[in-house]
């Protein structure tokens, strides 16, 4: 059986199907093939790997973990799937861990080589990509929140995500918080959200000002 060249492998990956011959050859020269054993991490949540990993054979699981070590399975990766593109586009740490479920072969493409396949950083297309990545990260956090947090935790996270630094540096939500909107965000009833927010206020996690703005106390982070 003949051994496939990197260029042959590149041509079999849907992600690279639109590359020109010159781009494909450049990518083929830059990629490195790596094998992961069952249970090994391909990328790790909260860290940067500065590379794109494309699954050639095998299977991997995408999981996100909270501060208590509880996991949520976000997806299963099969041949042709890839991971790491979000971190390469917005230069932020990975939002999830990818762990090989069985022996898995991947192609690794470094940051510089990946960047050469993208439009110029100043282009509108690149700005759109960064916006899409931001939305995907928010979606990952929402899935994790719905799966792992109780209603208090989900309300706390929703408030923290809406908050902005005030003049004194303290987090606050300047507009009046709609209980109905928060309920729709977190998958709970309006009545439950109202009870939780009242309890959070009574316990000093938040403070509602006379103008309707909400001041977020630092200890709210312990819930969300």
């Amino acid at each position: 059986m003949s051994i496939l060249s990197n260029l042959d492998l590149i041509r079999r990956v849907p992600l690279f199907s639109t590359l020109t011959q010159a781009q494909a050859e450049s990518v083929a020269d830059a990629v490195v093939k790596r094998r992961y054993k069952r249970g090994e991490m391909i990328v790790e949540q909260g860290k940067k790997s500065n590379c794109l990993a494309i699954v050639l054979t095998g299977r991997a699981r995408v999981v996100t973990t909270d501060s208590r070590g509880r996991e949520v399975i976000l997806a299963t990766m099969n041949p042709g799937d890839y991971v790491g593109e979000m971190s390469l586009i917005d230069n932020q740490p990975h939002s999830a861990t990818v762990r090989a479920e069985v022996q898995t072969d991947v192609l690794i493409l470094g940051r510089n080589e990946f960047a050469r396949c993208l439009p110029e950083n100043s282009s509108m297309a690149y700005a759109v990509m960064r916006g899409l990545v931001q939305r995907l990260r928010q979606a990952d956090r929402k899935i994790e929140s719905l799966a792992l947090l109780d209603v208090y935790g989900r309300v706390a996270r929703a408030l923290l995500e809406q908050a902005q630094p005030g003049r004194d540096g303290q987090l606050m939500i300047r507009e009046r918080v709609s209980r109905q909107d928060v309920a729709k965000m977190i998958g709970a009833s309006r009545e439950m959200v109202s009870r939780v927010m009242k309890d959070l206020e009574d316990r000093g996690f938040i403070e509602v000002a006379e103008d309707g703005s909400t001041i977020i106390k630092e200890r709210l982070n312990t819930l969300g």
Side-chain angles (χ1 to χ4, degrees):
M1 181 182 294
S2 62
I3 299 176
L4 294 175
S5 69
N6 281 356
L7 184 58
D8 292 329
L9 292 172
I10 288 297
R11 285 304 188 192
R12 293 186 175 199
V13 177
L15 175 66
F16 299 126
S17 62
T18 60
L19 294 183
T20 65
Q21 180 65 21
Q23 287 176 319
E25 290 175 355
S26 176
V27 170
D29 289 339
V31 294
V32 176
K33 187 176 177 182
R34 182 171 176 185
R35 174 165 292 174
Y36 291 86
K37 297 177 182 178
R38 182 179 185 274
E40 278 193 289
M41 286 188 292
I42 299 172
V43 302
E44 185 175 358
Q45 180 177 340
K47 295 187 177 180
K48 296 181 184 179
S49 56
N50 291 313
C51 68
L52 180 75
I54 307 105
V55 177
L56 290 176
T57 64
R59 187 174 66 252
R61 181 170 287 181
V62 184
V63 299
T64 182
T65 309
D66 69 3
S67 58
R68 285 182 273 181
R70 297 177 299 177
E71 289 188 346
V72 177
I73 299 172
L74 299 177
T76 297
M77 297 181 63
N78 294 298
D81 293 334
Y82 52 89
V83 67
E85 79 287 356
M86 290 167 55
S87 186
L88 290 176
I89 290 171
D90 67 4
N91 201 33
Q92 296 298 310
H94 297 297
S95 60
T97 290
V98 177
R99 187 180 295 114
E101 281 197 292
V102 296
Q103 180 174 284
T104 302
D105 290 336
V106 304
L107 286 178
I108 303 293
L109 181 67
R111 173 180 291 279
N112 292 336
E113 292 75 17
F114 175 80
R116 283 200 287 268
C117 297
L118 298 179
E120 293 296 326
N121 287 8
S122 58
S123 72
M124 182 176 178
Y126 193 80
V128 170
M129 285 193 297
R130 289 179 64 91
L132 290 172
V133 167
Q134 185 176 11
R135 291 182 186 179
L136 285 171
R137 289 187 181 278
Q138 291 171 348
D140 284 349
R141 284 178 57 82
K142 184 157 289 187
I143 292 170
E144 176 191 329
S145 173
L146 289 171
L148 296 180
L149 298 178
D150 59 14
V151 176
Y152 276 83
R154 300 204 300 271
V155 170
R157 181 168 290 186
L159 295 176
L160 289 165
E161 289 176 348
Q162 294 181 62
Q164 299 290 333
R167 292 179 181 177
D168 58 357
Q170 190 170 37
L171 288 176
M172 65 181 302
I173 303 172
R174 290 179 175 82
E175 300 80 15
R176 187 179 299 275
V177 176
S178 165
R179 273 58 172 172
Q180 185 65 46
D181 287 350
V182 173
K184 291 178 180 179
M185 290 177 191
I186 68 168
S189 68
R190 182 187 183 282
E191 293 74 17
M192 175 62 75
V193 170
S194 295
R195 288 198 296 271
V196 169
M197 289 192 62
K198 180 65 169 61
D199 189 42
L200 291 176
E201 185 177 6
D202 292 343
R203 294 164 60 191
F205 286 95
I206 62 175
E207 179 183 336
V208 180
E210 292 183 0
D211 62 1
S213 61
T214 300
I215 299 169
I216 307 297
K217 303 297 185 179
E218 187 174 348
R219 52 198 294 255
L220 189 66
N221 283 290
T222 63
L223 299 180

